[in-house]
Amino acid sequence: MSNNDILKKLRVALSLKTEDIITICDLVGFKVTKAELGDIFRNDDHENFKPCGDQILRNFLNGLVIYKRGPRDEKK
């Protein structure tokens, strides 16, 4: 299973829109554009298909934790 498949399945399972994914990535300081996400979500035989790199998926997953749970509490 590719990173593209994982990101697509998470998007469907969590009912996320493209804007939601951009917001989630922004939570960890990772900038991704709507056009980049459009290329990632294309079929792999399309000419504008872009493979989802580990960095994009990693930052999305880290942002998803913050999005769902909230920011981490700092210990004193």
Side-chain angles (χ1 to χ4, degrees), residues 5-72:
D5 294 335
I6 293 169
L7 196 57
K8 285 178 190 177
K9 289 183 184 295
L10 285 171
R11 183 175 105 173
V12 170
L14 298 172
S15 301
L16 297 173
K17 298 179 184 132
T18 303
E19 292 81 17
D20 296 331
I21 295 173
I22 292 170
T23 302
I24 289 169
C25 290
D26 281 342
L27 291 173
V28 291
F30 186 74
K31 302 296 180 204
V32 64
T33 65
K34 197 172 189 175
E36 288 175 316
L37 288 175
D39 291 344
I40 289 171
F41 291 128
R42 293 185 188 277
N43 288 332
D44 57 355
D45 59 350
H46 192 277
E47 66 182 59
N48 292 333
F49 171 78
K50 177 183 173 189
C52 178
D54 292 339
Q55 183 181 18
I56 294 172
L57 185 60
R58 179 180 65 243
N59 283 301
F60 171 75
L61 292 173
N62 287 334
L64 187 61
V65 171
I66 295 170
Y67 184 75
K68 289 294 188 182
R69 293 187 193 168
R72 176 181 248 179

